[in-house]
């Protein structure tokens, strides 16, 4: 069976079988998709990461001198390590009207639908271009999308809209929060625990930073007003703490990994600046230059602010026959597209509650409904027969 004739389920099974955890290469999946698209007559361009181990796809069918539609998805998935899966996460398993596997919902289901549906598209009848954007490293900071957007041709019209197929249960998402993620490393001085006066505890200093971050989080909670997001305020989280070597040693090193998710309209750097000011004022170095505290940025994903009269939102509502709008607190690549001047909307099959979970699944009902959405979206760009 040729790739062009693969059903959505067959295509999804192929995609799930590629282990594209963000820490690994996605090139086997990319090669498979490139072969599929080129066999259909699509024009395919790749952009790679600095190591050449990952790649984005920007593929186009139809005239390239007009604005058109982008179907966008990310190829990477989150790890399965330590999760209690009851089936093989990299083999599609069908049971109870659902399909199970890593990425079924987030978001290889949408990509499988796009690849399957365009297989029956007569690209000679396209009145405007259809683009397919597949990226790497969305899960760790949307790094691939930045590389892809920076490489788009500047001598051709920008797309008129992008449909980002993150799982929304096919609801029309018009806005989401941003993400700022950091790693803070603290260097102190080791000493015997019986002489803490001779040491400088990196863990104690890390705890002071964590306490301050919690104070910032509480101030956001306390001052929040009812709003469209859940929760309706900027959230702060310390996701990981590492430090120390033994109970009887004053710890020399500590590492914090932390994030916050700013509301649209909030200055993204505000909390980072408050943390830097706290460290400078409350945790200054002594005459020996300790503690040494350095914070580096892991990810910066812009919020996706709602845009009145967005053509992308109007398009999604029209395709789905839906009038309601939603906001979500997770992030996507929509904010990057919108910042690049491409109106965006987030809408795709699957419930985000299943994303990143053991036994991640996508219902067959959502898969079928997502296929109908993509078919209708593509139909808007095709000259009717006759």
């Amino acid at each position: 069976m040729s790739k062009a004739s693969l059903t959505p389920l067959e295509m999804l099974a192929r995609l799930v079988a590629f282990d594209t955890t963000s820490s690994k290469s996605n090139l086997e999946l990319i090669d498979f998709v490139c072969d599929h698209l080129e066999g259909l007559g699509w024009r395919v361009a790749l952009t790679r990461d600095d190591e050449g181990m990952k790649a984005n796809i920007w593929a186009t069918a139809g005239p390239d001198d007009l604005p058109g539609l982008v179907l966008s998805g990310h190829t990477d998935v989150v790890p399965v390590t330590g999760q209690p899966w009851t089936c093989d996460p990299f083999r599609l398993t069908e049971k109870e009207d659902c399909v199970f596997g890593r990425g079924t919902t987030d978001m290889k289901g949408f990509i499988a639908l796009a690849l399957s549906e365009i297989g029956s598209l007569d690209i000679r009848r396209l009145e405007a271009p259809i683009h397919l954007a597949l990226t790497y490293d969305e899960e760790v900071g949307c790094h691939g999308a930045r590389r892809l957007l920076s490489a788009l041709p500047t001598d051709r019209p920008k797309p008129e809209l992008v449909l980002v197929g993150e799982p929304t249960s096919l609801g029309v998402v018009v806005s989401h929060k941003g993400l700022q993620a950091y790693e803070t490393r603290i260097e102190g001085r080791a000493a015997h625990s019986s002489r803490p006066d001779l040491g400088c505890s990196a863990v104690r200093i890390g705890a002071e930073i964590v306490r301050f971050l919690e104070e910032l989080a509480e101030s956001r909670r306390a001052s929040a007003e009812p709003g469209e997001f859940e929760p309706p305020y900027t959230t702060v989280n310390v996701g990981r703490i590492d430090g120390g070597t033994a109970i009887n040693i004053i710890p020399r090193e500590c590492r914090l990994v932390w994030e916050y998710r700013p509301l649209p309209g909030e200055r993204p750097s505000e909390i980072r600046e408050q943390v830097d000011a706290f460290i400078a004022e409350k945790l200054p170095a002594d005459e020996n230059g300790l503690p040494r505290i350095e914070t580096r940025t892991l990810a910066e994903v812009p919020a996706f602010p709602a845009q009145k009269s967005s053509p992308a939102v109007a398009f999604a509502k029209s395709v789905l026959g839906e009038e309601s709008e939603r906001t979500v607190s997770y992030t996507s690549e929509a904010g990057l597209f919108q910042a690049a001047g491409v109106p965006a909307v987030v809408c795709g099959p699957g419930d985000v509650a299943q994303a990143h979970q053991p036994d991640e699944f996508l219902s067959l009902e959502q898969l079928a409904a997502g296929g109908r959405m993509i078919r209708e979206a593509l139909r808007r760009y095709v000259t009717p027969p006759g």
Side-chain angles (χ1 to χ4, degrees), residues 31-45:
D31 289 343
F32 168 81
V33 173
C34 284
D35 186 39
H36 174 69
L37 293 171
E38 289 171 348
L40 295 171
W42 285 55
R43 305 182 295 278
V44 180

Side-chain angles (χ1 to χ4, degrees), residues 178-182 213 235-239 257-261 271:
L179 170 68
Q180 302 286 124
Y182 302 96
L213 285 167
T235 57
V236 183
N237 179 58
V238 179
V257 179
W258 53 282
E259 57 141 58
Y260 56 94
R261 295 178 181 257
I271 287 178

Side-chain angles (χ1 to χ4, degrees), residues 295-309:
T295 297
R296 72 181 183 98
T297 301
L298 298 178
E300 293 180 307
V301 182
F304 174 40
Q307 300 289 316
K308 293 183 179 180
S309 304

Side-chain angles (χ1 to χ4, degrees), residues 1-7 11 36 39-40 115-120:
M1 179 180 291
S2 70
K3 296 185 184 70
S5 61
L6 291 178
T7 67
M11 184 65 76
H36 174 69
L40 295 171
L115 292 172
S116 181
E117 295 298 338
I118 64 178
S120 58

Side-chain angles (χ1 to χ4, degrees), residues 19 47 75 101-102 115 139 151 185 224 229 243 255 283 288 301 362 373-374 379:
D19 180 356
T47 50
T75 63
R102 176 55 89 220
L115 292 172
E139 297 288 4
R185 287 187 174 272
F229 290 94
R255 181 177 75 109
L283 303 171
N288 297 311
V301 182
L362 177 65
M373 176 189 72
I374 292 176
R379 186 187 66 80

